[in-house]
Amino acid sequence: MNKTNFFDLVYQVVRLIPKGRVSTYGAIANYLGSKGSARMVGWAMNAAHQHKDIPAHRVVNRLGLLTGKSHFADKDQMQRLLEKEGVRVIKDQVQDFDILFWDPNQNLLL
């Protein structure tokens, strides 16, 4: 699978994350059968900002931290977008992460 195809698959999954929920780079990679490719999912999210229909703000690290925030137009945009959807964020940490976590392996069928 080449990088472009992998990115497209990542984008398909990210588009399915419901408003008010978050997923992780690793969970998405695992769902796509590429468990060790969380970093590659991160690269896809960095490149996603050119696509208005990809909610990259809903993808956080495995601890619920907004590690991708530096790739948005400004450093607070990721948090603002999440908060607009009802997600509380304090000090770059998604609150109630265990409740808001959306696992594609549990919520999607391959």
Side-chain angles (χ1 to χ4, degrees):
M1 176 182 330
N2 69 36
K3 183 174 85 168
T4 303
N5 290 339
F6 185 78
F7 280 22
D8 290 339
L9 292 171
V10 168
Y11 298 155
Q12 288 176 36
V13 174
V14 172
R15 285 184 185 107
L16 298 173
I17 303 170
K19 287 182 180 179
R21 303 287 299 275
V22 294
S23 193
T24 65
Y25 306 105
I28 293 167
N30 188 36
Y31 175 75
L32 294 174
S34 192
K35 189 174 182 177
S37 297
R39 184 166 287 156
M40 188 93 147
V41 173
W43 293 338
M45 291 297 88
N46 294 345
H49 300 290
Q50 60 189 324
H51 306 282
K52 301 271 187 221
D53 66 328
I54 300 171
H57 63 282
R58 295 182 191 148
V59 183
V60 298
N61 83 354
R62 65 185 177 84
L63 302 174
L65 293 170
L66 309 188
T67 53
K69 75 178 193 168
S70 64
H71 300 286
F72 285 79
D74 67 69
K75 68 178 181 81
D76 297 320
Q77 184 181 14
M78 185 176 188
Q79 180 170 336
R80 281 195 312 273
L81 290 168
L82 286 168
E83 289 174 340
K84 186 176 179 183
E85 296 180 357
V87 176
R88 282 185 345 123
V89 178
I90 298 174
K91 295 184 180 180
D92 296 332
Q93 170 77 52
V94 171
Q95 302 301 292
D96 300 317
F97 175 67
D98 55 333
I99 295 168
L100 299 178
F101 174 62
W102 183 84
D103 186 348
N105 283 304
Q106 299 293 318
N107 295 283
L108 299 176
L109 299 174
L110 286 175

